[in-house]
Amino acid sequence: MNQETEENMYILKNAWTSITRNKGRNILMGIIIMVIACATAVSLAIITSANQLVKSYENKYAITATIGINRQKMMKNFKPDGESSKEQMKENFNAIESITIDDIEKYGDSQYVKNYYYTYSVGLNSSTIEKATSDSSNHRDMDKPKDMQNSADFNLVGYSSYEAMSEFIEGTYSIKEGTISSDFESNTCIINSELATYNNLSVGDTITLVNPNDSTKTYTLEITGIFSDNEQNGMNMFSNSTNSIITNTTVVTNILNENTDLTGNLNPTFVLTSKDVIEKYEAELQEEGLNENYSVTTNLDEINNETESIKNVSNFAQTFLIITLIIGGVVLLILNMINVRERKYEIGVLRTIGMKKKTVIQQFVLELLIVSIISLSLGGILGSIISVPTANNLLKSEIETASNQQEQIKENFGEKKDDNKKITQPMNGVNKIEYVSEINAVVDIKILLELLGIGILLTVLSSLTAMISIARFSPLTILKERS
């Protein structure tokens, strides 16, 4: 055994002897380090799990952009001063060029867009079926002025693809009989079950739609499926979609091409590559010639709202972690200073018998590392036990706060509280998302390694003062003061 090995074994033996001899002080320091380790483990587990959960939500629910008329901008310079101003407003509105399918294809051909789809709708009458409704209101294109709206019994809605059928994806609509045709160019349709019952229709039957302004223009569609509307419609006899007939955009496009007197309503949706490209895509649309009276809106706020509670818990955990490390570091620093001061005579004796400063410092640091590793291990085990319930209690508090805020808003509108009613926010352009009810804040190997690294770093930093003090001590002076 060489001299260096013997010296290391001697340092280790002395360090362990010192730890066992000063049990009280080391137990106190161990408890403090264990508490710091436990708090750090819980905080790291919450932060890691929350960040993973937020990221998974952002990946699961795509960022979508839609284009609509910027009414706020149009109304900004509008000064109502009689009929003349109203007529001017109508003229300005009518002067806006409608978005075409060619525009959608151009805007969709972008490096910032993964996919795009759209709906195309138009109001029509029918010569073979009757409108099912409990009131006298007709379908209108609500995005158009009254003098431009098509007054019709039925709303023919065309979808460009399955991705565009958000009502079926979200579960608002569901097929009851038959199926949705996979051919998005065929003269087929699906109808509401209430409309089917009202007119005694079934899968395989045909319906004939008519131009409200020209009864000679007729279009026959085959019913391939019947859907039900799962959304409640208050006290109304029929659902909102009762008189909606669903088809594909090819059918609607052909009808509008043959009937220039009819006005279609085109609603595009663009699936963006990430949230980071929103501003770039808006700028690109302006360069592509998008009318200034149109604006681009996304569903980013809705997605962020659903993960807000998780982010709040993560931010709280980060703040708590920083405070814990600062306070823990200061406490350990003070304890090390007291430890060195109490063992000043011991240091003087060791230095007098020939032990080098470096060796004395190594012994003191090794003592602290042994106590720290044992305490960090115990703190990590304790943290793994309490991390999950702690995270879920914090999240529960955040959810209750958010729910109470929404209940208060409902009360402001005169609605009564319903403690049994679950508060959810509707999503535009993505599947509906419910509040996250739990965080799986498990302390895994990665977190334990991070904990060990932070603990050792904190231990070394807190022992710097002890190292400096030992290096500056004069053994003769210490022994003289002792005598």
Side-chain angles (χ1 to χ4, degrees):
M1 187 178 292
N2 57 39
Q3 184 177 355
E4 184 179 352
T5 304
E6 290 179 355
E7 185 178 350
N8 290 335
M9 291 300 296
Y10 178 75
I11 293 172
L12 178 60
K13 182 180 178 181
N14 276 1
W16 182 252
T17 302
S18 178
I19 291 173
T20 54
R21 185 173 62 244
N22 301 288
K23 294 179 181 178
R25 180 177 61 242
N26 289 314
I27 289 175
L28 175 62
M29 184 173 291
I31 292 174
I32 293 173
I33 295 175
M34 185 178 68
V35 172
I36 296 172
C38 180
T40 302
V42 172
S43 300
L44 289 174
I46 292 174
I47 294 169
T48 302
S49 301
N51 291 340
Q52 290 176 349
L53 197 53
V54 170
K55 186 176 181 180
S56 68
Y57 261 62
E58 291 177 349
N59 292 335
K60 181 179 179 180
Y61 300 101
I63 302 297
T64 59
T66 56
I67 299 175
I69 294 175
N70 191 341
R71 290 175 175 78
Q72 184 177 2
K73 184 175 182 180
M74 293 185 64
M75 294 296 295
K76 187 175 181 180
N77 299 322
F78 176 64
K79 298 178 180 179
D81 56 0
E83 290 298 325
S84 60
S85 61
K86 293 179 181 179
E87 291 299 324
Q88 183 63 41
M89 185 64 180
K90 288 182 180 179
E91 291 179 9
N92 294 340
F93 193 94
N94 295 339
I96 300 175
E97 294 184 3
S98 300
I99 294 178
T100 64
I101 294 179
D102 290 337
D103 291 330
I104 294 175
E105 293 176 350
K106 180 173 66 173
Y107 300 150
D109 185 19
S110 168
Q111 62 177 326
Y112 306 124
V113 176
K114 291 194 297 186
N115 185 27
Y116 67 91
Y117 47 83
Y118 56 93
T119 63
Y120 210 0
S121 61
V122 63
L124 296 172
N125 289 338
S126 176
S127 60
T128 57
I129 59 175
E130 294 182 6
K131 173 184 177 181
T133 183
S134 55
D135 56 43
S136 58
S137 62
N138 291 330
H139 162 72
R140 295 184 185 277
D141 299 315
M142 299 309 294
D143 285 340
K144 302 292 182 182
K146 289 184 178 180
D147 57 350
M148 291 182 62
Q149 292 176 0
N150 300 321
S151 177
D153 291 338
F154 300 97
N155 183 28
L156 183 65
V157 184
Y159 291 90
S160 64
S161 63
Y162 286 121
E163 289 82 4
M165 308 181 81
S166 58
E167 296 88 352
F168 290 91
I169 296 173
E170 294 171 0
T172 305
Y173 298 167
S174 58
I175 291 294
K176 186 177 179 181
E177 297 178 24
T179 185
I180 301 173
S181 175
S182 58
D183 183 359
F184 281 82
E185 295 183 354
S186 62
N187 291 325
T188 58
C189 69
I190 60 175
I191 63 173
N192 189 291
S193 58
E194 296 169 357
L195 182 64
T197 302
Y198 193 84
N199 288 276
N200 195 27
L201 297 171
S202 58
V203 174
D205 292 342
T206 59
I207 59 175
T208 302
L209 300 176
V210 181
N211 183 333
N213 306 320
D214 186 354
S215 59
T216 63
K217 300 287 184 68
T218 62
Y219 306 90
T220 301
L221 302 178
E222 179 187 355
I223 300 173
T224 62
I226 296 174
F227 72 92
S228 60
D229 190 337
N230 304 316
E231 194 170 49
Q232 298 296 325
N233 195 26
M235 298 298 292
N236 293 336
M237 179 178 178
F238 297 106
S239 61
N240 291 329
S241 63
T242 300
N243 296 303
S244 293
I245 299 172
I246 295 177
T247 184
N248 55 74
T249 52
T250 302
V251 171
V252 177
T253 301
N254 292 338
I255 292 175
L256 290 171
N257 288 340
E258 295 178 12
N259 300 269
T260 56
D261 58 320
L262 296 180
T263 303
N265 187 18
L266 191 59
N267 292 310
T269 301
F270 303 92
V271 182
L272 304 183
T273 55
S274 72
K275 63 181 180 180
D276 300 324
V277 304
I278 293 176
E279 293 183 0
K280 296 178 182 178
Y281 185 60
E282 291 177 351
E284 183 180 274
L285 291 184
Q286 297 299 328
E287 294 175 1
E288 293 282 353
L290 180 66
N291 191 294
E292 62 178 2
N293 290 307
Y294 285 101
S295 61
V296 180
T297 58
T298 69
N299 64 342
L300 182 60
D301 288 340
E302 285 85 352
I303 294 178
N304 286 338
N305 286 340
E306 298 303 329
T307 57
E308 184 177 2
S309 296
I310 307 174
K311 290 177 181 177
N312 288 340
V313 172
S314 178
N315 292 335
F316 174 80
Q318 290 178 7
T319 304
F320 180 72
L321 175 61
I322 293 172
I323 294 174
T324 299
L325 294 179
I326 292 174
I327 295 177
V330 171
V331 172
L332 289 177
L333 182 63
I334 294 173
L335 286 177
N336 277 322
M337 292 174 63
I338 295 173
N339 182 30
V340 172
R341 191 174 186 83
E342 289 180 350
R343 299 172 63 184
K344 193 173 181 181
Y345 181 72
E346 178 186 345
I347 295 170
V349 172
L350 292 173
R351 290 284 289 113
T352 302
I353 63 176
M355 186 176 285
K356 299 177 182 179
K357 292 181 180 179
K358 177 183 175 183
T359 306
V360 177
I361 292 174
Q362 286 177 344
Q363 177 181 321
F364 271 73
V365 174
L366 184 58
E367 290 176 19
L368 190 56
L369 283 176
I370 293 173
V371 174
S372 298
I373 290 173
I374 295 173
S375 301
L376 287 171
S377 301
L378 295 175
I381 295 171
L382 182 59
S384 64
I385 296 173
I386 68 174
S387 59
V388 174
T390 301
N392 289 330
N393 283 332
L394 289 172
L395 182 60
K396 180 180 178 182
S397 176
E398 286 294 331
I399 292 175
E400 288 177 353
T401 300
S403 298
N404 290 336
Q405 289 175 350
Q406 292 192 39
E407 289 286 1
Q408 184 60 51
I409 293 172
K410 290 172 65 178
E411 284 190 23
N412 294 341
F413 283 95
E415 296 185 22
K416 294 181 179 180
K417 269 193 176 182
D418 183 3
D419 294 334
N420 296 322
K421 188 173 182 179
K422 191 172 185 179
I423 305 297
T424 57
Q425 295 183 359
M427 298 293 294
N428 297 324
V430 297
N431 298 353
K432 292 181 180 178
I433 310 173
E434 294 183 354
Y435 281 112
V436 181
S437 59
E438 61 181 14
I439 298 179
N440 191 23
V442 178
V443 177
D444 55 17
I445 297 296
K446 179 176 178 293
I447 292 175
L448 288 176
L449 291 176
E450 290 177 352
L451 173 63
L452 183 62
I454 292 173
I456 292 176
L457 179 62
L458 192 64
T459 300
V460 172
L461 291 176
S462 63
S463 62
L464 285 177
T465 303
M467 297 179 190
I468 295 171
S469 298
I470 293 173
R472 293 176 61 184
F473 282 160
S474 170
L476 294 178
T477 303
I478 294 173
L479 295 176
K480 190 180 295 183
E481 289 176 355
R482 179 74 172 181
S483 61

